[in-house]
Amino acid sequence: MTSLIPPGCPTVLTEDDRTGTSIETLRRAFMDNLFFIQGRFPEVATKNDYYLALAYTVRDRLLLRWLNSAKTYRDQESRTVCYLSAEFLLGPHLGNNLINLGLYEAVEEAMRQTGLNLKELLDQEEEPGLGNGGLGRLAACYMDSLATLEIPAIGYGIRYEYGIFDQEIRDGWQVEITDKWLRYGNPWEIPRPELILQVKFGGHTYSYTDDQGRYRVVWEPHQVIQGVAYDTPILGYKVNTANLLRLWRAEAVESFDFQAFNTGDYYGAVNQKIASENITKVLYPNDEQLQGKELRLMQQYFFCSCALQDMIRLYKQSGNKDLSRFHEKFTVQLNDTHPAISVAELMRLLVDEHLMPWEQAWDITRQTFAYTNHTLLPEALEKWPLDLFGSLLPRHLQIIYEINQRFLDQVRLQYPGDNDRLRRLSIIDESGCRYVRMAHLAAVGSHAINGVAALHSELLKQTVLKDFYELTPQKFSNKTNGVTPRRWMVLSNPGLTRLITERIGEDWVKHLDQLRRLEPLAEDRDFAAQWRSVKHENKERLAAYIRDRVGVTVDPHSLFSILVKRIHEYKRQHLCVLNIITLYQMLKDNPQLDMVPQTFIFGGKAAPGYYMAKLIIKLINSVADVINHDPAVRDRLKVVFLPDYNVTLGQRVYPAADLSQQISTAGYEASGTGNMKFALNGALTIGTLDGANVEIREEVGAENFFLFGNTVEQLQELWRNGYRPWEFANSNPMLKRVLDLIGSGYFSHGDTALFRPIVEHLWQNDRYCLLADYQSYVDCHQQVLQVYQDQAQWTKMSILNVARMGKFSSDRAIREYCQDIWHVEPVKIVLPATSYMTP
Ligand code: B1N
């Protein structure tokens, strides 16, 4: 048999159609699936039929590993990490699973022999967009690393029927289209219709003393909804570990309860069914902006309750009777405050339903949870109006009051008479209509609290959680984010992967520090030439995509400067626009100017209700329109907005970048992870001292990073003295000219009103200090252009960037979580040598 399986990649010994890995077997299994699952013969099969037949072929091989992992964990009662997240932004599965199985080349060949092109089949997959941006994507990278490091783990979340909306651009404006990702079915998930849990909402509570003299509380809900599990296997890279991602879908309860609440009212009953299913209909598309909507709180409680009930079920399944060792079996990470209600829910389950004394339950709860904070933005900090909270979760509100009272009693002992401190620390915000502060609930209910980059973790201790830090400094740590090199290098940049592997072997994919071994090659002319040609080919591919999708021709020889991420004022896409217009003015002033040809590429979605962000998209497109059509520019400047930026598009974009734009206002971007993906693919960064940029610069060396802008301290100083943005504009002729040009209607067919909100905000308020950083950014960009003219120098810096980026693997981040917070060990999964059919 021919085999393309790389050495070291585990395979099964038997060659049956469900698990075999030879090209012949794969081809046969594929045809079998086309026939018996899709019900098609080749003459009439569509590309999507072929994609699905291949997906099922790959899925069989996943299932083998998954079932063996599950069985091993069960037999060994393995300590398990539970990652609770309202978002998992997985991206397409097929390519990634082929890489992790070590079957990419074999399947490519099997498809070729069948007359098909694997790349075209990969393009068929509609990605599950169950997240907004960095936070959801981080959860996906962490699931990949947990499996790769052979750590028993379960991801718990929500199976949204509609993920993040698809973005279209019409007349320069963002238009949102519903994301029907399940339209053609989802071959990667396995529904578990028998795995159903009930979740209560609303109603009231009453208490009594039972016949053993115990104080008991009963929650009589107004409504009961059931959660159905949908399981997706998450395979590690070239290991047999396949972990579980379990997402919950809401359904109406049938039969008894259903009748009880709707006596004789059939129509009302059907309506209630629809209302129940609404809970998991749609992902809230707000990135870092709280919408205090009831349905959102319902979503959060729904999936947390399902997750915790499921853990208790698993715990009992492994023979344990009482729950006193729950925290030894499970460690639960809260991905921001979205699952923070879990703290009160676990208390409720232990105390009310399993009759555990409060103190013991509280001990277990705190030992179970750990909390990661992802933002300091005040408008993103979750707080729920007390009346809304109490009407939906009456019992949880009581529990939170009890937790709070006991907590504040302790604080009082430590800081007698310090009422101000009590007010600041309280889980209840007494201002206005009074609120539950979810960050405080998470902080009180966890044994560990972390930020996502060194700077962010420091600021967390100084600002949002300052009082908590003073109270329990030992709980705090930093865990700098990371990204998986499997998806973000091996899968998306095969050219670079091949080049690197030729020189240093393939170990780096699992041990990213090994990239250091590229350092000696930074001045190797032969290697540098190959490095450049890989980048050029990636740029050509992106240029072709841009021609097809946007209708703009860009020159792959120009400098590709890329800014892709959610649109937000703090991320300052409009600062990049100010620089572009500055370059444009320089060309207009001096038509003969010898300027490096540049292509600026933007991508990103705006929250549908975020007016300024949507106006920024319109601004980018309007400026693009004028510049791309101005003959005076002579193709030295192009601006492109890529519609519908998502994981799939990210995989095309990162490998094609020369320059990565990481230009947020210092102190606002908690970490950023796109910054890591760019640098790992050989882009140089122009950036501020914000989030993980700080650590990237430390690692790659200040001489290989284009730094600009005010530091956090300088900005604090600026505001302390009264920041007056108009002074920056009035004293800087080019800046004033650029702002005036936008305001004049030059980019809006003479409409002076259109962009006024942006221009006026910058003149008068400029919360994110664009004007204070403008000159520094423009100057820094000129340095970039200068270095780019020296291709040897640029390439050397690019190679050194990649060589020194090892720290930013999500494997490193997960190892730190395992050691410092979770205290879990790897569990080896061994596949049976005999067929899966042997009992
Ligand atoms: O989390 C990422 C970080 O790399 C980014 O810097 C950070 O901005 C991002 C409410 C959020 N913080 N907060 C959110 C997302 C959805 C939502 O409804 C907040 N996203 C981040 C990973 O650490």
Side-chain angles (χ1 to χ4, degrees):
M1 296 238 181
T2 7
S3 175
L4 280 183
I5 315 237
C9 185
T11 55
V12 257
L13 299 180
T14 48
E15 270 295 314
D16 57 66
D17 278 9
R18 297 265 185 187
T19 63
T21 48
S22 72
I23 293 166
E24 287 87 333
T25 311
L26 289 166
R27 218 173 36 163
R28 195 173 53 241
F30 171 74
M31 292 312 291
D32 190 78
N33 284 333
L34 185 67
F35 213 85
F36 291 106
I37 295 189
Q38 286 311 105
R40 295 279 190 183
F41 47 90
E43 286 80 355
V44 297
T46 63
K47 265 201 194 119
N48 196 56
D49 291 322
Y50 285 126
Y51 157 70
L52 286 170
L54 181 55
Y56 284 110
T57 308
V58 172
R59 185 176 104 160
D60 285 338
R61 278 124 194 103
L62 288 185
L63 289 186
L64 174 76
R65 286 153 180 84
W66 189 34
L67 292 171
N68 278 290
S69 303
K71 181 163 166 32
T72 307
Y73 298 158
R74 194 184 156 130
D75 292 349
Q76 301 187 8
E77 299 186 20
S78 312
R79 178 165 166 79
T80 300
V81 176
C82 296
Y83 200 85
L84 264 60
S85 179
E87 306 187 5
F88 286 92
L89 190 44
L90 297 171
H93 292 277
L94 178 56
N96 194 246
N97 281 330
L98 288 175
I99 297 285
N100 284 8
L101 280 167
L103 286 180
Y104 195 98
E105 281 81 14
V107 165
E108 198 170 39
E109 176 59 22
M111 292 301 101
R112 206 189 53 74
Q113 291 180 10
T114 318
L116 295 165
N117 177 336
L118 175 59
K119 291 225 166 58
E120 283 180 19
L121 300 191
L122 291 173
D123 284 343
Q124 286 299 304
E125 182 171 353
E126 185 149 5
E127 72 171 73
L130 308 187
N132 274 287
L135 171 137
R137 183 53 232 176
L138 187 77
C141 283
Y142 282 0
M143 289 305 292
D144 178 279
S145 284
L146 281 161
T148 298
L149 295 174
E150 304 177 288
I151 305 291
I154 306 176
Y156 282 112
I158 300 173
R159 182 179 176 277
Y160 300 105
E161 187 175 333
Y162 302 107
I164 187 68
F165 62 85
D166 294 335
Q167 179 193 57
E168 279 184 13
I169 301 297
R170 293 191 200 146
D171 186 30
W173 294 97
Q174 165 175 300
V175 175
E176 300 93 18
I177 316 283
T178 46
D179 160 55
K180 302 203 179 77
W181 72 287
L182 290 166
R183 188 171 22 190
Y184 303 115
N186 174 10
W188 304 103
E189 71 184 1
I190 297 173
R192 299 286 188 209
E194 77 293 346
L195 179 40
I196 286 179
L197 297 168
Q198 305 225 320
V199 181
K200 305 190 263 192
F201 288 100
H204 64 275
T205 65
Y206 64 84
S207 59
Y208 69 98
T209 307
D210 71 10
D211 45 17
Q212 290 167 50
R214 282 181 305 215
Y215 176 73
R216 304 274 300 267
V217 179
V218 177
W219 174 16
E220 290 271 18
H222 166 72
Q223 189 187 9
V224 181
I225 287 165
Q226 61 190 28
V228 186
Y230 285 73
D231 291 350
T232 303
I234 306 288
L235 181 69
Y237 178 71
K238 294 189 182 175
V239 288
N240 291 320
T241 301
N243 283 330
L244 169 60
L245 176 63
R246 179 160 281 172
L247 303 180
W248 301 93
R249 190 172 80 86
E251 268 188 359
V253 245
E254 297 297 334
S255 68
F256 172 76
D257 302 15
F258 200 51
Q259 294 269 314
F261 292 116
N262 303 283
T263 326
D265 182 6
Y266 174 75
Y267 187 82
V270 173
N271 254 343
Q272 197 194 312
K273 179 174 159 62
I274 293 169
S276 303
E277 292 176 357
N278 269 344
I279 292 188
T280 53
K281 267 285 174 250
V282 55
L283 166 77
Y284 276 93
N286 300 312
D287 194 72
E288 313 225 25
Q289 218 177 7
L290 166 71
Q291 268 197 316
K293 290 280 194 305
E294 184 177 39
L295 192 63
R296 163 92 173 180
L297 181 57
M298 289 178 86
Q299 289 183 337
Q300 296 182 351
Y301 176 61
F302 167 76
F303 94 89
C304 292
S305 179
C306 288
L308 288 167
Q309 290 185 58
D310 195 44
M311 283 176 235
I312 291 176
R313 188 185 62 83
L314 290 168
Y315 177 86
K316 294 205 156 172
Q317 219 176 51
S318 58
N320 294 291
K321 285 220 171 56
D322 74 288
L323 286 157
S324 61
R325 300 167 77 119
F326 182 79
H327 58 286
E328 293 174 17
K329 166 75 184 160
F330 291 114
T331 175
V332 180
Q333 194 66 29
L334 303 174
N335 199 24
D336 214 282
T337 54
H338 318 147
I341 186 63
S342 298
V343 170
E345 174 66 356
L346 182 57
M347 283 302 286
R348 187 189 69 82
L349 290 167
L350 294 177
V351 173
D352 291 2
E353 308 218 334
H354 293 90
L355 311 183
M356 190 181 279
W358 180 279
E359 290 75 13
Q360 188 190 5
W362 183 239
D363 247 31
I364 291 172
T365 297
R366 267 190 328 184
Q367 291 185 73
T368 298
F369 291 110
Y371 157 53
T372 305
N373 172 285
H374 292 266
T375 180
L376 307 171
L377 279 192
E379 60 267 47
L381 295 179
E382 290 195 297
K383 49 179 201 172
W384 296 103
L386 226 55
D387 52 354
L388 186 159
F389 196 99
S391 73
L392 211 57
L393 303 170
R395 177 57 183 144
H396 295 78
L397 188 55
Q398 292 170 348
I399 290 173
I400 287 171
Y401 280 142
E402 182 73 28
I403 293 172
N404 198 34
Q405 192 159 46
R406 290 170 183 246
F407 167 62
L408 294 180
D409 283 348
Q410 274 189 333
V411 178
R412 249 180 234 110
L413 289 178
Q414 211 170 322
Y415 298 95
D418 194 345
N419 286 330
D420 219 41
R421 187 179 296 266
L422 290 179
R423 189 183 47 71
R424 292 197 308 265
L425 277 166
S426 174
I427 299 175
I428 308 298
D429 177 349
E430 302 286 344
S431 70
C433 70
R434 302 172 77 216
Y435 300 91
V436 183
R437 295 161 162 159
M438 299 309 270
H440 291 212
L441 178 61
V444 175
S446 296
H447 66 276
I449 302 169
N450 73 282
V452 290
L455 174 67
H456 167 69
S457 295
E458 278 313 306
L459 294 173
L460 191 61
K461 296 190 288 190
Q462 292 167 21
T463 60
V464 174
L465 297 180
K466 180 171 193 284
D467 294 299
F468 288 92
Y469 178 62
E470 285 174 13
L471 206 61
T472 50
Q474 73 283 359
K475 277 196 196 178
F476 285 74
S477 75
N478 171 246
K479 297 286 169 280
T480 299
N481 284 169
V483 301
T484 170
R486 273 74 66 183
R487 183 176 294 272
W488 297 112
M489 297 180 79
V490 180
L491 177 61
S492 57
N493 201 342
L496 190 67
T497 300
R498 216 171 298 123
L499 180 56
I500 294 174
T501 302
E502 267 168 28
R503 298 300 181 118
I504 65 169
E506 57 177 18
D507 240 28
W508 61 274
V509 178
K510 267 197 181 189
H511 302 278
L512 207 59
D513 288 325
Q514 294 274 323
L515 288 175
R516 284 264 173 204
R517 294 171 53 205
L518 293 172
E519 272 198 39
L521 294 167
E523 308 210 37
D524 178 326
R525 287 183 47 189
D526 214 42
F527 186 70
Q530 290 179 296
W531 191 269
R532 268 194 298 277
S533 88
V534 166
K535 179 63 77 183
H536 190 77
E537 282 162 22
N538 292 339
K539 289 167 74 178
E540 278 180 333
R541 267 193 294 276
L542 183 61
Y545 180 89
I546 291 172
R547 198 183 330 102
D548 288 357
R549 299 300 165 96
V550 192
V552 175
T553 310
V554 304
D555 178 4
H557 293 280
S558 64
L559 185 156
F560 277 21
S561 184
I562 310 193
L563 207 177
V564 287
K565 50 183 82 232
R566 287 298 290 255
I567 313 291
H568 204 297
E569 286 164 280
Y570 85 77
K571 295 179 188 281
R572 302 201 294 194
Q573 281 90 354
H574 47 335
L575 177 58
C576 189
V577 174
L578 296 186
N579 181 44
I580 292 170
I581 299 176
T582 304
L583 296 167
Y584 178 54
Q585 292 307 290
M586 288 163 63
L587 288 174
K588 294 293 260 189
D589 287 351
N590 182 359
Q592 299 315 317
L593 187 65
D594 181 23
M595 188 156 73
V596 175
Q598 297 166 67
T599 303
F600 285 90
I601 299 167
F602 292 85
K605 295 171 184 176
Y610 187 174
Y611 177 70
M612 276 296 235
K614 292 178 121 172
L615 194 55
I616 289 171
I617 292 178
K618 174 67 176 170
L619 176 66
I620 294 167
N621 282 309
S622 303
V623 169
D625 220 30
V626 170
I627 292 182
N628 295 348
H629 292 108
D630 189 335
V633 170
R634 282 192 287 116
D635 289 345
R636 283 168 293 179
L637 209 52
K638 282 273 164 76
V639 182
V640 175
F641 188 92
L642 286 174
D644 203 32
Y645 180 66
N646 58 11
V647 175
T648 310
L649 189 45
Q651 291 174 193
R652 288 180 184 275
V653 162
Y654 294 115
D658 293 308
L659 187 67
S660 156
Q661 299 266 353
Q662 305 300 334
I663 62 176
S664 54
T665 317
Y668 284 95
E669 190 70 271
S671 164
T673 43
N675 46 5
M676 302 168 188
K677 296 165 197 166
F678 276 115
L680 277 167
N681 283 283
L684 303 187
T685 306
I686 182 167
T688 49
L689 281 180
D690 197 16
N693 294 355
V694 178
E695 291 157 79
I696 292 176
R697 178 166 171 268
E698 254 167 44
E699 292 292 307
V700 305
E703 68 285 8
N704 298 308
F705 187 104
F706 296 101
L707 177 70
F708 77 94
N710 285 283
T711 62
V712 173
E713 292 77 21
Q714 287 167 337
L715 290 175
Q716 283 167 350
E717 176 75 10
L718 194 67
W719 286 108
R720 250 198 312 279
N721 298 331
Y723 175 41
R724 292 173 293 276
W726 56 89
E727 292 182 356
F728 284 89
N730 282 323
S731 63
N732 185 330
M734 184 55 105
L735 172 56
K736 181 163 189 309
R737 192 170 144 198
V738 167
L739 292 172
D740 287 348
L741 198 65
I742 299 172
S744 75
Y746 185 89
F747 300 106
S748 43
H749 307 287
D751 182 347
T752 55
L754 183 61
F755 297 124
R756 194 178 295 149
I758 293 178
V759 179
E760 275 187 359
H761 181 264
L762 291 179
W763 273 99
Q764 287 162 19
N765 179 291
D766 194 17
R767 180 173 168 201
Y768 297 108
C769 308
L770 279 76
L771 303 199
D773 279 349
Y774 166 82
Q775 195 56 51
S776 163
Y777 180 48
V778 169
D779 293 343
C780 188
H781 189 79
Q782 289 301 316
Q783 276 179 40
V784 171
L785 297 185
Q786 211 156 48
V787 177
Y788 193 72
Q789 282 175 310
D790 182 350
Q791 279 292 296
Q793 174 64 13
W794 185 276
T795 308
K796 177 182 164 194
M797 290 167 73
S798 166
I799 296 170
L800 287 177
N801 260 262
V802 174
R804 297 171 178 175
M805 280 294 290
K807 170 175 174 185
F808 302 98
S809 168
S810 44
D811 299 344
R812 186 270 314 148
I814 287 298
R815 279 200 195 91
E816 290 180 6
Y817 278 98
C818 287
Q819 275 169 28
D820 305 344
I821 300 181
W822 299 334
H823 308 294
V824 282
E825 298 291 331
V827 173
K828 273 253 170 293
I829 307 299
V830 183
L831 295 186
T834 50
S835 163
Y836 67 96
M837 301 223 280
T838 320

